[in-house]
Amino acid sequence: MPSSAQRARHLRVVAASGLLGTAVEFYDFLVYGTVAALVFGELFFPGADPAVGTIAAFGTFAAGYVARPVGGVLFGHFGDRLGRKSMLLLTMGLMGGASFLVGLLPTYDTIGGWAPVLLVTLRVVQGIAIGGEWGGATLMVVEHAGEGRRGLWSSFTQMGAPLGSLLSTAVVTLVVALPEDEFAAWGWRVPFLLSVVLLGVGLVVRLKVVESPLFAELKQDRAESRLPVLEVLRRPRPVLLACGVGIGAFTAQSLLTSYLIAYATGIGYARPQVLTALTVSASVALVVLPCASALSDRVGRRPVVLAGALATAVLAFPVLALVDSGSPGLLILAVVLGHGIAQSTMYGPLGALLTEMFGTRVRYTGASLGYQGATLIGAGFSPLIAGSLVAGSGDGTPVALLLCGGAAVTAVTVLFVRETSRTSLTDTAEDSDAPHAQQITA
């Protein structure tokens, strides 16, 4: 058995690994969403009306989300069968590699219709990798953490989202300062190519990660699940509830980051003003996320997630009004309130909550399917739907309605989820097959 000092050191390495993995994920996600909003319409879908081009660009954005549940099943299966660590090295390599290759893609003017086809293909590869990334990274942290502090330690994985946002915004801010023709010619490629640096750092840290002690014990007892996805889907209630709980956070996240760039620049804001608002919001989120997660260790996951969902619904129309004001200062306030505070309060405890819903035998698969299902529904199609509705109506009301709808789904679902913050993660093969091991009840 490792000493307490060794366990503490292992936990810090695992937390850093989770942080960097999610940072790579959200860096790639936000760089793609930002560049799609700015130039992908004209580069990969030329000749279309600007609004149609933007919708098409966000359609490729959605393609990556459709692939995420596939990645959750694929990497979840091998993560629950063979181990967490090897899958995490593979998912990070695929994520960063696909992003790097997007930066090398020829555009429509060079190879015609193959350009959008290759773009969608890389988005699908990236989506499959991301589908297995979060579940493995989060449950590794949670399974290494001690009882009573799982929420706080899992927040490091969640903090990768604003960290990735800060990094992507910083890089994009530099390249959008280029003359417009240079940005369209080569500047948009730089953020994708630079992702290889973040990938290298992440892989070095991941190589030092120690396998989950709970999985190692399961492996030693030869109690692994033969087909984790079937074991999860045999009782679909937990994974459906896990999906529903996350929808509000991802709807808010996608609408108030990626889609906001297209919407705000469309009503007259300069690109640097929007990127400044996102930078301030991400900085606030880096503080709110660990605070909300630590609070969930004390008062429970459900009350904190519910508070974030209610705050998102209450603030939806005021946030839209602040954005529509045309004031850069009020734009910053809007994004900080809606994303930096309300969305982060919802998102912070999700890492611990979703992993606590499943037994060790199927935890990678179950948590991944729930999380990626939520991202598909909440984030994958929200920008596409918002862009279509705003183009048709001429105002931003659909954005606020989508925010309220996502928050309502989370608020209702969390009422049916059992509180898990005091639940032990230790289970046996028999426990994982039993209904109570899913740790959810009405």
Side-chain angles (χ1 to χ4, degrees):
M1 292 291 291
S3 67
S4 59
Q6 288 175 319
R7 289 197 299 269
R9 183 168 62 254
H10 292 164
L11 181 54
R12 289 194 294 270
V13 172
V14 171
S17 166
L19 175 69
L20 289 169
T22 311
V24 171
E25 173 188 343
F26 275 83
Y27 176 89
D28 293 343
F29 161 79
L30 293 168
V31 162
Y32 185 93
T34 302
V35 176
L38 296 177
V39 295
F40 271 9
E42 62 186 81
L43 293 177
F44 290 91
F45 305 95
D49 175 86
V52 175
T54 299
I55 292 170
F58 278 123
T60 64
F61 189 66
Y65 280 98
V66 174
R68 286 187 177 205
V70 177
V73 172
L74 178 64
F75 289 103
H77 172 82
F78 289 106
D80 283 326
R81 288 280 298 155
L82 305 178
R84 316 330 195 178
K85 178 179 176 177
S86 57
M87 294 303 106
L88 290 178
L89 289 168
L90 185 55
T91 56
M92 179 173 277
L94 286 174
M95 277 193 312
S99 183
F100 180 78
L101 290 176
V102 169
L104 299 177
L105 273 182
T107 62
Y108 189 94
D109 288 342
T110 304
I111 60 171
W114 282 106
V117 170
L118 291 174
L119 180 64
V120 171
T121 301
L122 288 175
R123 280 295 295 165
V124 170
V125 171
Q126 195 176 52
I128 290 173
I130 291 174
E133 163 63 30
W134 180 90
T138 302
L139 69 88
M140 278 284 277
V141 177
V142 172
E143 288 181 348
H144 275 86
E147 300 290 334
R149 302 183 68 192
R150 297 193 298 252
L152 175 61
W153 280 105
S154 70
S155 70
F156 283 87
T157 303
Q158 307 299 76
M159 287 165 65
L163 177 60
S165 176
L166 284 172
L167 293 172
S168 66
T169 302
V171 174
V172 171
T173 299
L174 292 176
V175 296
V176 297
L178 293 168
E180 203 160 316
D181 57 339
E182 292 187 32
F183 177 71
W186 60 269
W188 67 269
R189 299 180 183 275
V190 174
F192 294 103
L193 298 176
L194 287 178
S195 66
V196 74
V197 177
L198 196 56
L199 170 63
V201 175
L203 288 175
V204 168
V205 174
R206 282 228 163 138
L207 287 169
K208 300 177 181 179
V209 168
V210 179
E211 183 59 84
S212 159
L214 292 181
F215 180 80
E217 182 179 347
L218 197 73
K219 188 79 172 174
Q220 184 177 17
D221 295 338
R222 297 185 178 181
E224 314 96 303
S225 173
R226 295 184 61 186
L227 289 171
V229 68
L230 292 184
E231 206 167 307
V232 169
L233 295 181
R234 192 181 301 139
R235 298 183 184 88
R237 178 182 170 85
V239 77
L240 292 175
L241 289 178
C243 174
V245 166
I247 284 175
F250 290 108
T251 301
Q253 190 271 331
S254 64
L255 291 177
L256 294 175
T257 55
S258 296
Y259 180 72
L260 180 74
I261 296 170
Y263 179 79
T265 54
I267 61 174
Y269 286 98
R271 291 173 185 172
Q273 292 173 334
V274 183
L275 295 175
T276 297
L278 293 177
T279 299
V280 175
S281 173
S283 301
V284 172
L286 281 173
V287 177
V288 175
L289 282 169
C291 291
S293 301
L295 181 63
S296 77
D297 283 331
R298 291 181 172 273
V299 304
R301 320 288 185 221
R302 298 169 73 245
V304 179
V305 173
L306 181 60
L310 295 177
T312 299
V314 169
L315 290 170
F317 282 93
V319 162
L320 178 64
L322 291 171
V323 173
D324 286 342
S325 69
S327 165
L330 293 181
L331 174 67
I332 293 174
L333 178 61
V335 185
V336 167
L337 289 174
H339 180 257
I341 297 176
Q343 189 272 347
S344 296
T345 302
M346 263 193 297
Y347 183 64
L350 284 183
L353 175 60
L354 268 60
T355 54
E356 291 163 349
M357 287 182 174
F358 301 91
T360 305
R361 279 166 53 93
V362 298
R363 186 169 290 132
Y364 201 141
T365 302
S368 295
L369 278 177
Y371 183 90
Q372 301 307 337
T375 63
L376 171 61
I377 298 169
F381 295 106
S382 293
L384 187 62
I385 295 170
S388 302
L389 294 177
V390 170
S393 66
D395 65 61
T397 301
V399 179
L401 291 175
L402 285 170
L403 285 170
C404 289
V409 172
T410 290
V412 171
T413 305
V414 80
L415 299 177
F416 294 90
V417 176
R418 180 183 173 185
E419 181 56 57
T420 61
S421 59
R422 300 291 184 266
T423 305
S424 173
L425 292 182
T426 304
D427 56 40
T428 64
E430 292 75 21
D431 290 333
S432 293
D433 263 340
H436 73 269
Q438 303 297 339
Q439 298 175 6
I440 291 187
T441 186

